Amino acid sequence: MALVLMRHGLLLAGILFALGLVGVLVRRNILFILLSIEIMLNAAGLAFVVAGSRWIQPDGQVMFIFILTMAAAEVSVGLALLLQLYHRFKSLDIDAASRMRG
Amino acid sequence: MNGLFYISSVVAILSTIMVITELNGVHALLYMIVSLFSVALIFFTLGAPFVAALEVIIYAGAIMVLFVFVIMMLNLGPRAVAQERQWLSPKMWPGPALLASVLMVELIYILRRGPMALSGIQVIGPKAVGFSLFGLYLLGVELASMLLLAGLIGAYHLGRRTPTKEKEEKT
């Protein structure tokens, strides 16, 4: 039973990760891109917890805590970038910042 | 036991699909919070209650609030009131409310059944996680603190509006 649960848990993590990836690729609003990255990180954490639960070890949960920390740091920097983008271009469209000043 | 896992999985997938297809930012956040709650319930059914609590407290509680703050900061001005009214339109409520009520029913079921609800699953409590986190993975904890400090400094530096930039915008 644990094996079936692990297989389906990993399948769910894969589906959620794929949905997040589709969100990153399809949407051009930077807010939705950040949300999709959160979905992908959450799916990766889910895979770790499922594996940890299968082998009855706490390591999976420890890795999830690290992923959580990383997601928090990433989202704070990402949202600061979003504010900068909005102040400069008055738009959340990521294509507005597609040119480098070279 | 397995039923709880599969129902929460369906709720998670549905709400995540709504997140990436929704056009309005606040509505997408609403569905995202439902998705995080369902993943927290999945963690609980997998025998990881500590991580389930962290998912609710940090992901749904702190990171999503950060998103809400930023969305609010972007909409200063007179049209903010009209936008607020549009966000709270009654026809927006049923979707997330329905998905959240499914999770609520599952939660009540777990609470009523007590420890019996998790039969067949080995629960790994916070104690084991704490021993592992501050024993074997102590170096990782230190690195995570460095990462958080770097994130703090980076967010402060990027979020600050320097006077020179504002002068550039005016000219």
Side-chain angles (χ1 to χ4, degrees):
Chain A
M1 180 199 141
L3 202 64
V4 172
L5 208 59
M6 181 182 83
R7 193 172 298 157
H8 292 167
L10 288 180
L11 190 66
L12 173 70
I15 291 172
L16 288 182
F17 191 89
L19 283 174
L21 189 64
V22 167
V24 169
L25 294 176
V26 168
R27 304 304 295 261
R28 287 276 67 90
N29 188 323
I30 188 169
L31 185 76
F32 285 93
I33 291 178
L34 284 175
L35 265 181
S36 304
I37 290 173
E38 288 300 309
I39 293 171
M40 286 161 71
L41 286 174
N42 198 23
L46 176 64
F48 272 112
V49 173
V50 168
S53 147
R54 165 69 178 82
W55 278 284
I56 318 177
Q57 294 291 326
D59 304 65
Q61 299 189 38
V62 171
M63 279 311 290
F64 181 82
I65 293 171
F66 288 151
I67 289 175
L68 201 68
T69 316
M70 205 266 292
E74 173 262 333
V75 84
S76 62
V77 173
L79 287 173
L81 279 172
L82 186 156
L83 285 179
Q84 280 288 338
L85 189 80
Y86 188 73
H87 287 317
R88 295 211 178 178
F89 300 104
K90 297 296 170 210
S91 154
L92 288 182
D93 191 357
I94 196 124
D95 286 336
S98 59
R99 289 184 166 212
M100 295 176 88
R101 188 191 299 174
Chain B
M1 175 54 232
N2 271 355
L4 294 174
F5 174 81
Y6 292 119
I7 295 170
S8 325
S9 310
V10 170
V11 172
I13 292 172
L14 284 181
S15 52
T16 308
I17 289 173
M18 290 307 292
V19 170
I20 62 171
T21 55
E22 193 70 50
L23 294 177
N24 194 319
V26 174
H27 297 171
L29 277 182
L30 217 55
Y31 278 111
M32 183 75 194
I33 290 172
V34 174
S35 164
L36 292 176
F37 281 164
S38 56
V39 172
L41 208 53
I42 288 169
F43 286 160
F44 192 79
T45 59
L46 286 173
F50 180 56
V51 166
L54 279 185
E55 175 97 5
V56 173
I57 294 169
I58 297 182
Y59 251 119
I63 296 181
M64 289 301 122
V65 166
L66 214 59
F67 273 97
V68 172
F69 275 163
V70 167
I71 290 179
M72 296 296 160
M73 278 177 75
L74 295 180
N75 291 286
L76 300 174
R79 62 199 174 97
V81 177
Q83 204 149 21
E84 197 110 353
R85 192 169 294 132
Q86 182 203 341
W87 285 343
L88 292 175
S89 65
K91 69 173 187 290
M92 186 48 218
W93 292 350
L98 185 70
L99 293 175
S101 60
V102 172
L103 296 178
M104 182 76 186
V105 168
E106 284 189 65
L107 188 65
I108 290 172
Y109 174 76
I110 289 174
L111 287 178
R112 289 290 295 276
R113 288 287 300 276
M116 288 292 291
L118 288 180
S119 59
I121 286 289
Q122 197 87 28
V123 174
I124 305 164
K127 193 176 171 186
V129 178
F131 271 127
S132 186
L133 186 63
F134 292 109
L136 189 59
Y137 290 97
L138 192 59
L139 187 64
V141 174
E142 296 292 335
L143 288 174
S145 70
M146 298 274 286
L147 178 70
L148 281 177
L149 181 65
L152 177 71
I153 295 172
Y156 173 71
H157 177 73
L158 287 171
R160 193 179 42 166
R161 301 184 68 182
T162 51
T164 53
K165 264 177 222 152
E166 280 175 9
K167 216 179 287 172
E168 269 176 32
E169 278 170 11
K170 273 175 198 164
T171 53

